[in-house]
Every structure is written in structure tokens, then in C-alpha cells.
């Protein structure tokens, strides 16, 4: 980045939220810089985006490529492949943005569209190969692609596991719960699930047997095998290091680990906005909510600029 470069808005993240915000701001004739990490995105394993009209099944790469084709028509958005290491609020006079290579830029506003980091389990052989295909975190994202298979919900939350028998019947009529041996209230939960035609299995998962990511058997620590074709296994999440530093150094407000925003997607720091998965829990995440949030953030910035 040119250290003297100035932008109406700097957007950190080039997924659906960030790119939607860039397009919306571009059509408001604002100069934007979209800074996207060169590391593989969180949705790299996805075979297609779902729920976006006209883009059903487009891969993440196809979605980004088409977005930049559209942005280039206007000539107001610049893309930079880098990781932002620091954002410094300048006492009401915009933000100083520094990339990990030392280059800097100034933005009147900043939109955080960084997503979150899934904290995947250690030591589970086969997890990475199945993740995003037959080990899924969200049934609304790729439940259809796993329809008519045997499912298992994996969690240490009794309330969530209690939904195994009924909540996912749109995609499967054979779903059970898998929980750690220490799950509280396990006996009562097992009785309840069995009455509904489901079951609870307790044990630590150590290996996923699969063929090119197509799961067929789950192996537990005691050596027992469980024939399941799909695991619904939400992962704990944390913010990217940049957001963690903003919270620690500049008081960015978080709620249960997620960035707090108002109705216009503005955070607790004036002029700093957030859109996408970093603001909402698993059931609030996905391409469609991200697009909506990115557009809302851009609208809020535009109308604040007019005030």
C-alpha cells in the first residue's frame, strides 16, 4: 500500500460480506480498499454457495472472481492480498491500517469482514478430509448435499443433542447423538432419544473412516465403530488475531466472543463496522446473512457521511 493512500472505506476481508459492502459503496461512488488475506479462506472446503439467487452452487472462488469482475467496471475498488496486522483509531479522524508487510493506508471508515476461526479438534484422523463435505457445521448450508444419509450430532451440549431425533428430518430420518463420556444427564437424554426412535452414543471420536472425504464409519477411543455417513459437528470459534487485538487494545466490544454491532453494523468504536460471521453464532452465519450485513454496513456508512 502507498503510505499516503486514502480511502473512504477500508474493508478487511474479501468474502460475501466484504465484497457486497465494496460493491454497494462503489455504487455510492466511494473509494474502497479491500484487503484479503492470501491464506486459504475459511470456506475453502466448500463445494458451492447456497441460497444466493442467481449464484446457487457457485464455488467460493467463482463468487470472488465474479464479484471482482463487477467491481472492476467502476474502477473505484482496489484489492490488496495481505494480512492486516493493526488498525489504529485516530481520535475521530479515521483509521490507520497497517499490513503485515509494513505498508499502511488511511481510511475514513473501516469494515471488519474477517470471518472467524473454527477451532477444529486435535488428533481426529480424517477430520480435515471430511470437513465441509460430510462433516458439517450447519445443516442449512449443506444439509441438502447430505440428504438421505445416516447422521450423527456431535456435541457436549445436552440441549443441542436432544434435537437429534426431530430437528433435522428435512434431510434424514436416521440421526443419533454422539457425546463425550462425561456428558451430564446422559441417562435421561438417552431414554428421551430412544423413545423418539434415536439414540445417544458416548465416547471420544479418534478417527473418521472415509473415501476421499466421503465418511462411512466413526471410530471411538475404545475401538468401537459407528456406521454414520454425515456428522453435524459445530466447532468452537474464535476471532482472528486482528479482532482480538482491537478488543484488547482499543476496547472493541464483544458479546460471548462475537463482535457487538448496532442496527447499522457499527461496532463500539465510531467509524468501525463489522459484517459477516464475526458478529453472529453458528446459526446466524452463512453467505446470505453475510451479504445482508455487508450491504447494511455500506448503507450506514453512506448515510452517516451525508449527515
Amino acid at each position: 500500500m502507498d503510505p499516503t493512500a486514502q480511502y473512504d472505506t477500508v474493508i478487511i476481508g474479501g468474502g460475501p460480506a466484504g465484497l457486497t459492502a465494496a460493491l454497494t459503496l462503489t455504487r455510492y461512488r466511494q473509494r474502497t480498499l479491500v484487503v484479503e488475506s492470501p491464506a486459504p479462506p475459511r470456506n475453502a472446503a466448500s463445494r458451492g454457495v447456497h441460497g444466493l439467487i442467481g449464484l446457487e452452487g457457485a464455488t467460493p472462488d467463482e463468487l470472488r472472481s465474479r464479484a471482482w469482475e463487477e467491481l472492476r467496471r467502476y474502477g473505484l475498488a482496489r484489492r490488496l492480498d495481505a494480512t492486516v496486522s493493526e488498525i489504529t483509531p485516530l481520535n475521530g479522524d479515521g483509521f490507520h491500517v497497517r499490513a503485515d508487510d509494513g505498508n499502511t493506508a488511511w481510511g475514513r471508515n473501516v469494515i471488519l469482514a474477517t470471518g472467524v476461526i473454527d477451532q477444529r479438534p486435535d488428533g481426529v484422523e480424517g477430520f480435515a478430509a471430511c470437513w465441509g463435505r460430510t462433516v458439517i457445521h450447519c445443516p442449512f448450508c449443506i444439509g441438502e448435499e447430505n440428504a438421505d444419509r445416516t447422521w450423527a450430532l456431535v456435541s457436549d451440549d445436552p440441549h443441542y443433542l436432544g434435537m437429534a431425533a426431530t430437528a433435522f428430518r428435512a434431510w434424514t430420518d436416521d440421526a443419533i447423538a454422539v457425546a463425550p463420556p462425561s456428558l451430564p444427564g446422559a441417562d435421561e437424554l438417552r431414554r428421551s432419544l430412544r423413545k423418539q426412535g434415536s439414540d445417544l452414543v458416548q465416547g471420544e471420536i479418534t478417527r473418521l473412516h472415509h473415501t476421499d472425504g466421503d465418511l462411512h464409519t466413526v471410530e471411538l477411543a475404545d475401538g468401537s465403530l459407528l456406521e454414520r455417513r454425515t456428522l453435524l459437528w459445530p466447532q468452537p470459534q474464535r476471532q482472528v488475531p486482528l479482532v482480538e487485538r482491537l478488543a484488547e487494545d482499543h476496547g472493541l466490544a464483544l458479546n460471548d466472543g462475537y463482535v457487538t454491532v448496532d442496527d447499522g453494523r457499527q461496532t463500539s468504536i465510531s467509524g468501525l463496522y463489522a459484517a459477516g460471521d464475526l458478529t453472529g453464532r453458528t446459526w446466524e452465519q452463512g453467505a446470505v446473512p453475510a451479504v445482508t450485513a455487508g450491504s447494511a454496513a455500506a448503507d450506514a456508512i453512506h448515510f452517516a457521511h451525508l449527515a
Side-chain angles (χ1 to χ4, degrees):
M1 284 181 282
D2 180 347
T4 63
Q6 298 186 1
Y7 297 89
D8 295 300
T9 301
V10 177
I11 300 169
I12 316 300
L19 292 174
T20 299
L23 182 58
T24 305
L25 288 168
T26 289
R27 290 187 56 80
Y28 284 137
R29 296 195 166 185
Q30 293 197 20
R31 294 183 67 239
T32 63
L33 173 67
V34 180
V35 188
E36 182 171 5
S37 171
R42 180 185 173 215
N43 64 358
S46 173
R47 292 186 167 187
V49 175
H50 302 288
L52 285 178
I53 191 70
L55 291 168
E56 177 64 23
T59 68
D61 284 346
E62 290 169 343
L63 182 64
R64 288 178 174 85
S65 176
R66 178 163 177 174
W68 278 105
E69 286 179 9
E70 294 168 351
L71 285 165
R72 279 192 287 270
R73 297 175 192 169
Y74 299 93
L76 290 174
R78 181 184 173 192
R79 174 179 176 176
L80 178 69
D81 291 326
T83 300
V84 173
S85 57
E86 184 179 354
I87 298 173
T88 304
L90 301 176
N91 298 319
D93 188 27
F95 298 85
H96 182 266
V97 179
R98 178 181 294 274
D100 54 1
D101 60 5
N103 287 317
T104 64
W106 176 89
R108 179 181 294 110
N109 302 284
V110 170
I111 298 176
L112 298 171
T114 58
V116 291
I117 297 174
D118 293 306
Q119 298 179 271
R120 301 179 187 180
D122 294 328
V124 178
E125 183 180 346
F127 183 93
C130 296
W131 177 246
R133 297 184 60 184
T134 54
V135 177
I136 65 177
H137 77 289
C138 169
F140 307 106
C141 298
I142 49 176
E144 175 62 23
E145 285 63 43
N146 282 270
D148 303 319
R149 297 164 63 94
T150 54
W151 284 29
L153 279 65
V154 183
S155 177
D156 59 2
D157 180 350
H159 176 72
Y160 180 73
L161 294 172
M163 299 190 296
T166 58
F168 307 103
R169 284 181 175 167
W171 302 284
T172 180
D173 58 5
D174 186 349
I176 64 171
V178 176
S182 59
L183 183 75
D187 291 341
E188 181 180 353
L189 176 60
R190 183 176 290 105
R191 285 193 293 270
S192 174
L193 287 173
R194 286 178 175 175
K195 287 180 181 178
Q196 301 175 75
S198 182
D199 204 354
L200 169 66
V201 175
Q202 289 180 268
E204 298 291 346
I205 296 175
T206 58
R207 183 180 179 186
L208 302 180
H209 297 264
H210 65 93
T211 303
D212 295 328
D214 188 5
L215 177 69
H216 56 80
T217 306
V218 177
E219 183 174 339
L220 303 180
D222 63 4
S224 59
L225 301 176
L226 180 65
E227 292 186 3
R228 292 285 110 176
R229 301 290 308 282
T230 295
L231 298 185
L232 180 52
W233 194 350
Q235 302 300 304
Q237 298 173 338
R238 69 176 180 87
Q239 297 293 337
V240 302
L242 173 66
V243 175
E244 292 177 337
R245 286 193 294 273
L246 282 167
E248 181 176 351
D249 298 340
H250 300 288
L252 177 69
L254 305 178
N255 179 16
D256 198 23
Y258 295 91
V259 177
T260 301
V261 293
D262 63 17
D263 290 343
R265 313 306 298 182
Q266 186 166 214
T267 72
S268 60
I269 298 174
S270 180
L272 180 66
Y273 296 76
D277 294 351
L278 76 166
T279 67
R281 295 161 183 80
T282 300
W283 58 88
E284 301 169 311
Q285 298 176 3
V288 174
V291 165
T292 302
S295 179
D299 287 343
I301 288 171
H302 171 67
F303 288 111
H305 179 64
L306 294 179

